[in-house]
Amino acid sequence: MNTSINKADGAGEEFLAFRLGREEYGIDILKVQEIRGYESVTQIANAPAYLKGVINLRGTIVPIIDLRIKFNQAEVSYDQYTVVIIVDLNQRTTGIVVDGVSDVLTLAPAQIKPAPALSGGVDTEYIRGLGSLEGRMLILADIEKLMNIDDLAAIDAAASSH
């Protein structure tokens, strides 16, 4: 089997790989503005639990969403590995808190498989597919679909109350 990637059939896509618990996710690198260490946030009254608060990023008020809480992870701890990925969501700068960032991966189209259809009301709409690379399996997330309309409304309400 030839493992070299033929550039003629698509150069592949670049994904930022990050961890949430035991799972590894990938998001489109073009949506990522920067990666920062977790810092204290200004909390907002009556915000959903996953909306940790806001930070002032060079004059822009940026809402910080903890994806671990959004994904109902059992244990959410903040340590030196906890990072905030600053992403661009529909012209909105938003920070997402994750357990850690591993690397940037280029996946060829052949390395991306469609997401499986899961029963039991599991929401897989935000999953673009599964990426496999050298024994690793990444859940490729569409970061815009991950933040649904309710989340964006909460973010807007939070931002406008500041």
Side-chain angles (χ1 to χ4, degrees):
M1 185 172 143
N2 185 356
T3 54
S4 67
I5 297 170
N6 182 349
K7 291 288 182 204
D9 56 312
E13 285 184 80
E14 287 193 312
F15 293 92
L16 176 69
F18 62 88
R19 287 183 329 282
L20 288 173
R22 291 189 302 274
E23 305 299 331
E24 199 170 18
Y25 288 80
I27 57 172
D28 183 345
I29 194 72
L30 298 176
K31 302 274 185 216
V32 177
Q33 291 182 8
E34 65 181 279
I35 299 165
R36 324 170 40 91
Y38 184 78
E39 59 192 78
S40 61
V41 297
T42 302
Q43 294 187 326
I44 296 163
N46 304 321
Y50 59 82
L51 182 56
K52 296 302 293 179
V54 294
I55 61 169
N56 184 333
L57 184 65
R58 295 182 291 279
T60 303
I61 300 299
V62 177
I64 303 297
I65 290 174
D66 195 324
L67 276 190
R68 303 168 307 173
I69 295 171
K70 186 163 170 49
F71 283 3
N72 299 318
Q73 272 194 9
E75 201 171 311
V76 175
S77 63
Y78 294 85
D79 59 27
Q80 73 269 28
Y81 303 109
T82 306
V83 295
V84 177
I85 305 171
I86 305 294
V87 293
D88 182 28
L89 295 181
N90 301 320
Q91 285 78 54
R92 267 187 196 92
T93 302
T94 305
I96 56 175
V97 181
V98 300
D99 286 327
V101 169
S102 38
D103 49 9
V104 175
L105 301 170
T106 301
L107 295 177
Q111 293 172 298
I112 301 174
K113 305 284 182 255
L118 300 174
S119 59
V122 177
D123 181 15
T124 57
E125 192 174 90
Y126 67 85
I127 299 176
R128 287 184 47 194
L130 299 174
S132 60
L133 181 71
E134 295 160 9
R136 288 165 71 185
M137 180 70 73
L138 267 79
I139 299 166
L140 303 178
D142 180 328
I143 196 71
E144 264 123 3
K145 285 196 175 127
L146 190 58
M147 296 294 133
N148 62 32
I149 304 302
D150 296 342
D151 296 341
L152 297 177
I155 291 168
D156 282 344
S160 63
S161 70
H162 254 272

